Amino acid sequence: MTDTALILVDIQKDYFDGGRWTLSKMDQASDNAAKVLAHARKSGHMIVHIHHEMQSDDAPFFRPGTTGAEIHSKVAPQQGEEVFLKHTPNSFHNTPLHATLTARGIKKVIIVGAMSQICIDATTRAASDFGYTVTLVHDACAARDVEFDGVAVPAAQVHAAFMNALSFAYANVVDCEAFLAQS
């Protein structure tokens, strides 16, 4: 076991085509996440799967007990890998994530998943605030088009803005190819 953990955030069926809340380039992001996962398994890193369920049957997506809330098969957990349920964007909030990482002597985390502008942002910032050295594999993450105050912003621009902000002070932000080459 190493001092590194891979955290896969919310790679769930509702984010894929046919789901309740599809994201731009989720197939590509999940394919890259699967490559990072394979590398982490081979390297002996701790693996943590995070999945989100809304706390209402009326939620627009990730409804409790639905197929859409299930972790996608591309990154399905294997026996011995941690799986934590969360109900907020931050994967550390009200979950055993930090305590589990600390107990295992984890110093470095690699983060992949969705959505770039919500859960990836919150989890990356929290990991950094807890003192972990954070690597964020940006093309193993996906975003969604947004609109605010009459301004429509395409997913690619949303993703780029959040990755830029996170690279400034919270994480080493790299693409999948560079991550695999340097690891």
Side-chain angles (χ1 to χ4, degrees), residues 15-99:
Y15 281 155
F16 289 80
D17 287 343
R20 294 182 161 274
W21 203 258
T22 58
L23 303 185
S24 176
K25 298 186 179 182
M26 190 60 191
D27 277 317
Q28 177 188 2
S30 62
D31 287 344
N32 286 335
K35 291 175 188 175
V36 173
L37 176 58
H39 171 79
R41 286 173 173 157
K42 183 178 178 183
S43 299
H45 298 327
M46 180 182 179
I47 310 294
V48 182
H49 300 266
I50 305 290
H51 67 108
H52 194 144
E53 283 187 359
M54 303 291 186
Q55 293 184 296
S56 168
D57 289 335
D58 297 326
F61 60 101
F62 294 165
R63 292 179 182 169
T66 64
T67 300
E70 294 173 0
I71 294 172
H72 198 278
S73 60
K74 289 183 181 186
V75 294
Q78 292 183 354
Q79 186 174 354
E81 296 176 352
E82 300 287 350
V83 180
F84 298 137
L85 174 65
K86 69 179 177 71
H87 300 292
T88 67
N90 178 350
S91 298
F92 290 90
H93 184 71
N94 289 331
T95 72
L97 180 57
H98 180 55

Side-chain angles (χ1 to χ4, degrees), residues 44 85 94 139 163 166 175 182:
L85 174 65
N94 289 331
D139 57 352
M163 294 302 114
L166 292 171
D175 66 26
Q182 71 186 10

Side-chain angles (χ1 to χ4, degrees), residues 139-151:
D139 57 352
C141 299
R144 182 175 167 92
D145 296 346
V146 299
E147 183 274 327
F148 180 77
D149 199 25
V151 177

Side-chain angles (χ1 to χ4, degrees), residues 124-176:
T124 300
R125 290 172 189 260
S128 178
D129 289 346
F130 276 122
Y132 298 101
T133 300
V134 182
T135 298
L136 178 57
V137 183
H138 73 82
D139 57 352
C141 299
R144 182 175 167 92
D145 296 346
V146 299
E147 183 274 327
F148 180 77
D149 199 25
V151 177
V153 185
Q157 291 178 4
V158 171
H159 179 77
F162 276 83
M163 294 302 114
N164 176 271
L166 292 171
S167 72
F168 182 74
Y170 294 98
N172 176 30
V173 179
V174 298
D175 66 26
C176 185

